[in-house]
């Protein structure tokens, strides 16, 4: 054991503090946290060293792990504001957004001692869990040091020594401190590769052949699969961080990396490498192969071209991993020559076994379940690996015979594998409320994951590649005796619609003829899938399928609204929404009466209240709203039946159980009001508004997160329905609306190392700082501005009493960088507000100058090309509202031209830099992505040119606009082969 580096009394005190930190008592723990902060404030170096020493000397693995985690957290926490770096420390090199931490204030001597302690822990720790924590701390320390120009050559040397530990001619890692028992060589080798993985910069400046040699030996380690895995992680990390030259020199590394997969695939039924003889392995090769594949998948996404020479080799064993195994029952053994089992895999046995099989049977079943789970995980891991390569480089795999076919087949097979009892599973599914969060668990089930994979595959490869292999199987799936397979066939058609839509149009008649009979299937889940399939096709092939096959689809969807199972008729109503979104009004009208009649039965059933499914009523209301929107004034004939029902819901649907029903009724009432027009709606307008007022003035239920959104949206719809008559209600709605629009961002400033994801929050990086933004409050702010757009555009001059207040909240929000929708709505609102002011003669010169100057300042400083285009568009609209460029003050005209010059310089510099990067680093340059960026910039240049032409049709800056546009590279020079070009 190495000598103590801190006094014994400090070690004893720290031991007590750490013991208190892990206690469950909040008061004791808070006191210990306070003690840690106090010691760090006064003598940080002493206590950091004591913490590192404790990571070596603590008696328990828990305390050694805890001390390493705490050391890592404390070292890289922000430094105290009054702390000064030691005078003898070298200056920190300039780096963008480099945050000063406690690490930067350590003396050279303390840092050296700290590094020596951690190297000792790395070489001597025998516990796998603690050793991994030591690696995390060491690699963080190394990475932070390298960014600051502080190398750690001892770590580099020790890691290479550990990578050779126990190999012939290499005794192992040299121990800098005398004494102590080094960890076993195999653990040292694993640890070394984990260090290389966590800090690839340790090997980036070394001779490439030496680095590759070390990695290759680790990938072929003869003693431990864990060493092989650590070497694989290190190799992936190295290749991900390598530059183009290093990548070219490292291509040979892929073969041994992929050999690890082939070796594991060939030994799945054997104990893992390194398992002691006559012992039961805790982890199987199924698990290890899944883990190896998951490790390689990110590299497949980021550097797919590396795998190109090896695709044929991968196809030799990957198909056996992603396709389901043939179940021939349990394997006979000496003790059990005639094993029994469930699922049809057991041997015939007479007399039949009794219900209880004893503990041995329970253990066998548990082992079977574990093995089945591991096989399922492996199949999905291998599939994800293949899908990732496909998405990253579609053309590369298109040309490989067999690749697409086997992935399609694997997805279709997996989609039909429901692991549930036929009767109990169906009963549970029928009883389940699909609108509650628990039903989302279905999206994480293996069949759902296979479905998502098929969707991704179709989007990546397109119809010409996917439809032939898919429809080799789908027709026979539709007539299978097994409902699961029929279900999978329907869901497969729905899944590939988005990616294959252009090619699928040619075969749409065949597909519709294949799908529509399934609405009469005997199994409710198949009928549900038929609704899902039609609904998805109506979205993916919007207007096309509705126009060509409306009669066939209505003939199955309308009767499905009367399906005996609530989940099925509710989903049929949901599919009708998708249908109506792309249907022409005249096409819908002949079917309007039977649709509304059946939806009304779902909304107002005659069954006993206990038998009514609320989610069905909610869906019926939602579908009625969409039907009303699509049929417009023709819906008036049904108004007298439906509106009283909706008003009754709003009057009586109180309590938490009716939250969703109430907001859906609100939304539907607003859409119907717009559809039928003010004359039909007017008699009920006062009642609806009174109900909305009552809801708005009721105490806020903190758990009702949707109410304010729907309330604001319904007020906007009532405004659109009533037109100018809504002016009388502005005093009621505007105070709350302006308060919401003017709300500040709900922010948290995150420490990078302490960042944790929180539901309902998202992160953005601004000026080098990471912020957490509560998304719900930002969405409400955006909706408030969108509602102001509706009020102002609908009411025109009648909105003028609120012109000044609205401008006060709108102008600052042009720079609200936390939400793009807010800025977009504000820019759109400005010309409407100016028009309102002009029409009402309430617009002042000060309002005009302040508003336009704010827009000009935003134009000059904007970095987002999308919003820059919007700023120019709405600035031009605002100028036209005011009477043209000539009515502007000289300072506004000059300001607009100066802002435009700045933007032209910025855009030109960006495009030149992009061209240089595409030439210098062609392998790392994504031309498709950059072509999209430049297309967006072209939109901004186009709107900029329109504003300049308003100044002068021959303005000199128009030539500059054209010159900047010409700086873009050719977006059509790509590797795409035009798979989806139907005219080719």
């Amino acid at each position: 054991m190495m000598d103590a580096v801190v006094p014994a009394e400090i070690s004893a005190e720290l031991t007590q503090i750490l013991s208190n930190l892990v206690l469950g008592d909040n008061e004791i723990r808070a006191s210990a946290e306070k003690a840690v902060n106090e010691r760090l404030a006064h003598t940080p170096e002493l206590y950091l060293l004591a913490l590192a020493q404790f990571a070596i000397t603590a008696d328990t693995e828990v305390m050694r792990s805890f001390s390493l985690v705490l050391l890592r957290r404390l070292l890289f926490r922000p430094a105290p504001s009054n702390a000064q770096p030691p005078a003898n420390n070298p200056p920190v090199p300039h780096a963008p957004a480099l945050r000063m931490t406690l690490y930067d204030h350590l003396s050279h001597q303390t840092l050296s001692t700290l590094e020596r302690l951690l190297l000792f822990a790395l070489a001597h720790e025998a516990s796998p869990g603690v050793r991994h924590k030591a690696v995390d701390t060491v690699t963080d320390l190394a990475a932070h040091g390298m960014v600051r120009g502080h190398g750690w050559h001892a770590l580099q040397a020790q890691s290479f020594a550990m990578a050779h530990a126990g190999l012939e001619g290499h005794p192992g890692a040299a121990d800098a401190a005398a004494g102590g028992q080094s960890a076993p060589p195999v653990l040292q080798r694993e640890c070394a590769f984990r260090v290389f993985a966590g800090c690839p910069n340790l090997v980036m400046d070394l001779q490439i052949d030496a680095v590759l040699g070390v990695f290759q030996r680790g990938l072929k380690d003869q003693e431990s699969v864990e060493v092989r895995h650590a070497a694989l992680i290190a190799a992936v990390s190295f290749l991900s961080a390598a530059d183009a030259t290093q990548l070219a020199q490292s291509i040979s590394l892929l073969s041994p990396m992929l050999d690890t997969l082939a070796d594991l695939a060939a030994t799945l039924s054997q104990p893992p490498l390194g398992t002691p003889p006559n012992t039961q392995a805790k982890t199987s090769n199924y698990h290890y192969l899944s883990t190896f594949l998951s490790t390689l998948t990110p590299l497949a996404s980021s550097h797919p071209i590396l795998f190109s020479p090896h695709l044929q080799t991968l196809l030799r064993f990957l198909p056996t991993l992603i396709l389901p195994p043939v179940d021939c029952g349990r394997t006979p053994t000496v003790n059990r020559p005639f094993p029994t089992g469930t699922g049809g895999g057991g041997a015939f046995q007479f007399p039949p076994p009794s219900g209880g099989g004893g503990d041995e049977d329970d253990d066998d079943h548990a082992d079977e379940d574990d093995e089945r789970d591991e096989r399922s995980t492996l199949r999905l891991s291998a599939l994800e690996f293949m899908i990732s390569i496909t998405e990253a480089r579609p053309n590369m795999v298109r040309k490989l015979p067999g690749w697409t076919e086997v992935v399609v087949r694997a997805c279709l097979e997996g989609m039909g594998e429901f692991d549930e009892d036929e009767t109990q599973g169906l009963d549970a599914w029928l009883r389940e409320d699909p609108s509650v969060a628990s039903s989302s668990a279905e999206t994480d089930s293996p069949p759902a994951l296979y479905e998502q994979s098929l969707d991704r595959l179709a989007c990546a490869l397109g119809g010409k590649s996917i439809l032939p292999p898919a429809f080799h199987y789908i027709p026979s799936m539709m007539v299978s005796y097994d409902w699961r397979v029929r279900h999978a066939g329907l869901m497969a058609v729905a899944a590939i619609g988005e990616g294959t839509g252009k090619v699928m149009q040619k075969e749409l008649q065949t597909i519709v003829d294949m799908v529509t009979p399934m609405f009469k299937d005997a199994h409710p889940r198949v009928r549900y899938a038929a609704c899902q399939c039609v609904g998805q096709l109506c979205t993916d092939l919007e207007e096309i399928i509705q126009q060509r096959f409306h009669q066939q689809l209505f003939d199955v969807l309308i009767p499905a609204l009367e399906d005996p199972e609530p989940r099925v008729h509710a989903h049929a109503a949901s599919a009708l929404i998708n249908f109506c979104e792309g249907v022409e009004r005249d096409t819908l009208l002949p079917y309007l009466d039977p649709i509304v009649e059946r939806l009304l039965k779902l909304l107002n059933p005659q069954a006993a209240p206990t038998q009514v499914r609320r989610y069905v009523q909610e869906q019926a209301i939602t579908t009625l709203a969409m039907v009303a929107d699509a049929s417009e004034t023709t819906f008036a004939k049904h108004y007298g039946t439906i509106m009283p029902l909706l008003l009754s819901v709003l009057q009586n649907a109180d309590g938490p159980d009716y939250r969703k029903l109430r907001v859906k009724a609100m939304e539907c009432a607003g859409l119907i009001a717009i559809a039928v027009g003010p004359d039909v709606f007017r008699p009920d307008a006062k009642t609806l508004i009174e109900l909305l007022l009552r809801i708005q003035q009721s105490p806020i239920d903190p758990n009702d997160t949707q109410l304010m959104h729907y309330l604001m949206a319904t007020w906007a719809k009532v405004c659109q329905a009533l037109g100018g008559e809504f002016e009388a209600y502005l005093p009621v709605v505007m105070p709350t609306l302006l308060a919401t629009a003017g709300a500040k961002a709900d922010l948290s400033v995150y420490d990078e190392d302490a960042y944790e994801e929180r539901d309902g929050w998202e992160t953005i990086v601004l000026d080098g700082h990471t912020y957490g933004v509560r998304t719900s409050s930002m969405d409400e702010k955006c909706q408030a501005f969108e509602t102001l757009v509706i009020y102002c555009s609908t009411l025109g001059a009648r909105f003028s009493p609120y012109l000044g207040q609205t401008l006060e909240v709108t102008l600052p929000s042009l720079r609200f960088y936390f939400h793009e929708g807010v800025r977009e709505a504000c820019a759109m609102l400005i010309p409407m507000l100016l028009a309102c002011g002009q029409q009402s003669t309430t617009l002042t010169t000060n309002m005009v100058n302040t508003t336009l100057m704010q827009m000009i300042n935003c134009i000059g400083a904007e970095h987002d090309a999308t919003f820059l285009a919007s700023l120019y568009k709405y600035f031009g609209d605002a100028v036209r509202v005011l009477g043209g460029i000539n009515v502007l003050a000289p300072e506004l005209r000059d300001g607009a031209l100066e802002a435009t010059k700045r933007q032209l310089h910025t855009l030109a510099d960006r495009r030149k830099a992009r061209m240089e990067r595409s030439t210098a680093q062609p392998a790392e340059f994504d031309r498709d992505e950059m072509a999209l960026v430049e297309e967006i910039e072209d939109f901004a240049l186009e709107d900029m040119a329109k504003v300049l032409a308003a100044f002068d049709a021959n303005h000199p800056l128009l030539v500059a606009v054209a010159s900047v546009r010409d700086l873009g590279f050719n977006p059509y020079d790509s590797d795409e082969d035009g798979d989806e070009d139907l005219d080719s």
Side-chain angles (χ1 to χ4, degrees), residues 110 120 207 238 244 372 384 398 402-403 415-416 447 452 530 558 646 664 710 720 729 761 806 823 837 860 925 927:
T110 297
F120 186 93
Q207 186 178 7
F238 168 73
R372 186 167 59 249
E384 178 62 28
R398 273 196 194 102
W403 181 280
M415 288 171 64
Q452 293 162 24
I558 294 174
L646 298 176
K664 290 293 183 183
Y710 278 97
Q720 289 172 284
Y729 302 104
W761 291 70
T806 305
R823 298 203 295 159
F925 191 79
R927 297 183 70 84

Side-chain angles (χ1 to χ4, degrees), residues 565 735 810 970:
E565 298 299 342
T810 300
N970 181 5

Side-chain angles (χ1 to χ4, degrees), residues 82-158:
N82 58 351
Q84 295 295 325
N88 59 345
N89 272 16
V92 176
H94 174 73
L98 193 61
R99 183 169 52 85
M100 299 297 284
T101 65
L102 203 52
Y103 169 92
D104 297 302
H105 295 81
L106 299 180
S107 67
H108 180 75
Q109 180 181 357
T110 297
L111 189 56
S112 298
T113 305
L114 184 64
E115 291 174 347
R116 184 162 52 89
L117 289 169
L118 290 173
L119 289 179
F120 186 93
L122 210 57
H124 293 78
E125 180 57 63
S127 164
V130 181
R131 194 169 62 252
H132 293 170
K133 298 292 190 303
V135 168
D136 291 341
T137 304
V138 163
T139 53
D140 263 18
L141 193 67
H144 278 72
M146 289 178 180
V147 169
R148 291 157 171 77
H150 176 75
W152 193 352
H153 299 296
L155 172 63
Q156 191 180 59
Q158 178 168 311

Side-chain angles (χ1 to χ4, degrees), residues 476-530:
S476 61
M477 294 172 72
M478 297 288 202
V479 295
S480 171
Y481 72 93
D482 189 341
W483 74 265
R484 296 168 178 81
V485 179
R486 301 197 300 275
H487 181 281
L490 287 163
M491 299 301 283
V493 174
I496 63 178
E498 179 185 1
T500 68
K502 291 182 181 179
V503 181
M504 188 185 278
Q505 292 177 28
K506 297 179 179 180
E507 305 297 332
L508 206 49
Q509 180 69 65
T510 304
I511 292 170
V512 171
D513 289 344
M514 188 188 306
V515 170
T516 49
M518 308 305 285
F519 279 80
K520 297 180 181 179
D521 194 276
H523 201 285
R525 293 202 66 168
V526 176
R527 301 197 299 273
Y528 180 95

Side-chain angles (χ1 to χ4, degrees), residues 322-324 404-414 454 457 469 473:
I322 64 174
L323 293 173
T404 303
E405 290 78 3
V406 75
V407 178
V408 168
R409 181 185 164 195
C411 292
L412 294 175
E413 294 265 13
L454 185 61
L457 190 73
Y473 298 104

Side-chain angles (χ1 to χ4, degrees), residues 269 662 694 897 972:
S269 59
R662 181 172 59 174
R694 192 190 75 175
L897 292 175
Y972 305 104

Side-chain angles (χ1 to χ4, degrees), residues 743-745 778 781 812-819 822-823:
K744 303 295 183 185
M778 297 303 95
K781 185 182 179 78
S813 295
L814 286 171
R815 295 179 181 269
F816 192 81
Y817 298 109
F818 302 108
H819 197 294
V822 169
R823 298 203 295 159

Side-chain angles (χ1 to χ4, degrees), residues 792 796-797 800 803 829-843 877-878 881-882:
C792 189
S800 60
L803 174 61
L829 181 56
I830 284 174
M832 296 179 184
L833 291 171
L834 295 178
C836 165
Q838 278 217 325
Q839 293 165 10
S840 60
T841 67
T842 56
L843 191 65
D877 290 348
V881 164
L882 295 170

